[in-house]
Amino acid sequence: MTTIPFAYPGPDTIARTVLDNGLVVLARENHAAPLISLEGYLPAGSIHDPAGQAGLSTFVAGMLSRGSAGYDFDAFNEANEGVGANLTFASDKHMTNFSLSCLSEDFPRLLVILADAIRRPTFTEGLVERLRNQKHIGLQERAQDTASMANLRYHETIYGDHPYGRSTSGYVETIAHITADDLRAFHARRYTPRGAILAVAGDLQAAVILDQVEDALGDWRGPSPEQSVPVVAFPTQTQRIDHHMPDKFQADIVLGVPAVPRHHPDYYAIRVANTVLGVFGLMGRLGESVREARGLAYYAYSAQEANQAAGLWTAAAGVNAEQIEPALAAIRAECARLAAELVPPEELADSQAYLTGVLPLTLETNDGVASSLLNMEWHQLGLDFLLRYRDLIHAVTPADVQHVAQSYLAGGAEVTVVAGP
C-alpha cells in the first residue's frame, strides 16, 4: 500500500462524475507511487434476498470471480495473480462490494476484467456446486463457533422477521436449494449501474480514469430496482436467549439495545459514547472493568451498528462458562454508570482524540482513501465530510454522552444472547 502525503480529501481534490447510466464515479489523485486502488458498491445486498433464499446475494457475489463471458475461472485468476493484483467481491446487508488494487500500468486491463465480472458472470454449474460445498463447510464451522452463534442469534432476535435479522451468509437449508437459475435471476434483477458507486485513488489522472471507466462501464444499462428498506419493529420487552453448545468450554455473550440509523442526529453522540464504553485503549470501560480489573472475561468491548433503516448499540464478551452471570452484571453496571454519571472531561477528550486521530491513519493509503470516498457517497455525507469530521466529534459534550446512554442503554428493550455450554 502507498503512503499518501497527508491532506484530507475534499471538494477541491475529489473529482465526482455521474455517468449517463447513473453510475457515480469519484477519483482522487496521488502520484507518490505507481499504484491504484478502486472500491465500489452495487445496490444488491442481503436485504434483497427472498425470505426463503437467505445467502443468495453472497452466493452471487462469490461467483463473480469464478468466470465471466470474457474470462473463465482460470483466465480470471491468471490475469490477477500474474501481475500481483487483488480483485475481490463480497456482499453485505445493503450492497455488493468490489475491490481492486494493482499497479497503475495494469489498471486499464483489470478494469475491463472487473467490468466483465460484474456485468456478465457465467454461473457455470460445476463451479456453482463447488462454491455451494465451500459455503456448506463454512456454515457448519459457524455452527461450532460460540461467538458467531451468539452474534447470529442476537441479530435474529432483535430484528425478528426484518431482513436485517437474516444471516447474510444464509443457512445450510437455504444455500442447499439455491440454483444457478436463481443466481442468474438475482443478478439480472439487482446488478445495475443505478445506485452504484465506484471510487478510485492513486497514481491516476482523474480525467483519464473517468474516460477508462466510461469505456468499460458507460454502456452498461440496467433496471432501477427498489431501494427502500422495510420499517424495523424492534422488541418492546427484554429477552434472553441461551444457545446451548454442550461441547464448548467458553461462552460468548452478546447483549444490546435498539439505537439509531446512520443519519440520526444522535449518531455522533453514540459514536463517542460507545468509544468511551468499549473501544478506547484496552476496549474502554468494559475492557478495563470486566476484563482487566475483575478478570471476568477473555475479551469485552462494545460496538455501534448504524444501518440505513435502524441501528444497534451492542456489548460482547467471551467468558468462562462459570462467569456468565457476573460478567453480564458487570457489563450492565458499566452501561448504567455511563447513563448515571457525566463522563469526566479528560476521559471524553481522550476518546475524541482517538476517533479523530485514526482518520489520518486511514487516509494514509490509497485503499483507505477510496473506501472513505465510497462511504461518503453511499451515506450522502458530502465531499467536505472529512473536513467537517473533527468538529462533529468534538462537538459532543459530556451531557450528550449521558443523554444517549440514558435514552438507549437505559431505555431500550435489551436482548441478551449467551452461546456456550
Side-chain angles (χ1 to χ4, degrees):
M1 292 184 289
T2 309
T3 300
I4 295 175
F6 181 73
Y8 286 153
D12 295 336
T13 59
I14 302 169
R16 182 183 184 274
T17 301
V18 182
L19 303 187
D20 290 342
N21 60 8
L23 175 65
V24 177
V25 183
L26 303 112
R28 194 208 183 209
E29 299 184 17
N30 167 39
H31 302 288
L35 297 171
I36 290 180
S37 293
L38 176 152
E39 300 282 342
Y41 283 162
L42 297 172
S46 65
I47 63 167
H48 307 116
D49 294 346
Q53 292 186 314
L56 178 59
S57 63
T58 59
F59 207 144
V60 173
M63 288 301 300
L64 299 184
S65 60
R66 287 169 167 79
S68 62
Y71 300 87
D72 65 16
F73 182 63
D74 292 334
F76 178 92
N77 287 293
E78 182 180 351
N80 285 279
E81 296 171 2
V83 295
N86 186 30
L87 174 56
T88 61
F89 305 91
S91 182
D92 207 334
K93 283 186 175 68
H94 285 271
M95 81 290 287
T96 292
N97 55 288
F98 49 92
S99 175
L100 169 64
S101 298
C102 63
L103 292 171
S104 51
E105 65 184 35
D106 298 319
F107 181 78
R109 178 174 179 239
L110 290 165
L111 178 61
V112 170
I113 297 173
L114 166 63
D116 202 57
I118 61 178
R119 296 176 63 177
R120 304 190 297 166
T122 50
F123 303 112
T124 304
E125 293 283 354
L127 294 175
V128 168
E129 293 308 313
R130 184 184 300 180
L131 180 56
R132 189 196 314 278
N133 290 336
Q134 292 173 357
K135 286 182 169 293
H136 185 73
I137 293 170
L139 293 172
Q140 289 178 319
E141 292 174 345
R142 179 181 73 181
Q144 297 302 315
D145 184 81
T146 54
S148 296
M149 293 308 299
N151 186 66
L152 177 64
R153 298 296 179 230
Y154 168 72
H155 282 84
E156 290 175 341
T157 304
I158 202 165
Y159 281 123
D161 291 333
H162 193 275
Y164 283 170
R166 300 186 206 125
S167 166
T168 58
S169 301
Y171 305 87
V172 169
E173 59 272 19
T174 60
I175 293 298
H177 295 101
I178 291 174
T179 67
D181 285 341
D182 293 330
L183 303 178
R184 295 185 187 99
F186 184 91
H187 179 269
R189 184 170 65 249
R190 298 298 320 184
Y191 276 56
T192 170
R194 299 289 174 185
I197 309 166
L198 188 152
V200 191
D203 185 29
L204 54 92
Q205 297 291 336
V208 173
I209 287 293
L210 292 174
D211 287 343
Q212 292 172 344
V213 173
E214 177 74 49
D215 289 343
L217 295 166
D219 64 343
W220 184 22
R221 294 294 183 267
S224 298
E226 177 63 38
Q227 297 297 329
S228 62
V229 184
V231 175
V232 176
F234 281 118
T236 57
Q237 296 181 335
T238 296
Q239 300 181 60
R240 172 162 172 173
I241 307 296
D242 289 298
H243 183 80
H244 191 47
M245 302 175 71
D247 296 330
K248 302 299 176 181
F249 295 96
Q250 174 175 317
D252 277 84
I253 298 168
V254 179
L255 71 156
V257 293
V260 301
R262 179 63 180 82
H263 283 283
H264 193 280
D266 286 341
Y267 170 81
Y268 292 102
I270 293 178
R271 184 169 174 80
V272 173
N274 178 66
T275 304
V276 173
L277 179 63
V279 176
F280 177 69
L282 296 174
M283 300 305 168
R285 290 181 173 184
L286 293 180
E288 176 62 30
S289 173
V290 181
R291 181 181 183 273
E292 297 298 316
R294 304 182 64 179
L296 295 173
Y298 306 116
Y299 69 86
Y301 68 90
S302 65
Q304 176 192 27
E305 178 181 314
N307 292 304
Q308 290 186 348
L312 304 174
W313 196 349
T314 302
V319 304
N320 183 291
E322 297 179 356
Q323 300 293 342
I324 292 172
E325 302 309 323
L328 281 169
I331 292 170
R332 291 177 179 133
E334 288 303 328
C335 293
R337 181 162 75 98
L338 195 65
E341 304 172 1
L342 289 174
V343 175
E346 299 82 2
E347 187 179 10
L348 177 63
D350 285 342
S351 289
Q352 291 168 320
Y354 167 80
L355 286 170
T356 56
V358 296
L359 181 59
L361 299 178
T362 300
L363 300 175
E364 283 185 347
T365 66
N366 291 326
D367 292 345
V369 170
S371 180
S372 295
L373 299 185
L374 185 64
N375 284 297
M376 285 159 53
E377 182 68 29
W378 177 258
H379 292 294
Q380 299 181 337
L381 302 175
L383 297 183
D384 64 342
F385 171 71
L386 297 174
L387 305 177
R388 296 184 287 110
Y389 175 75
R390 186 180 187 281
D391 291 340
L392 291 168
I393 295 299
H394 283 276
V396 176
T397 67
D400 294 330
V401 170
Q402 185 179 43
H403 167 73
V404 295
Q406 292 174 343
S407 299
Y408 302 101
L409 293 180
E414 179 190 285
V415 169
T416 301
V417 176
V418 180

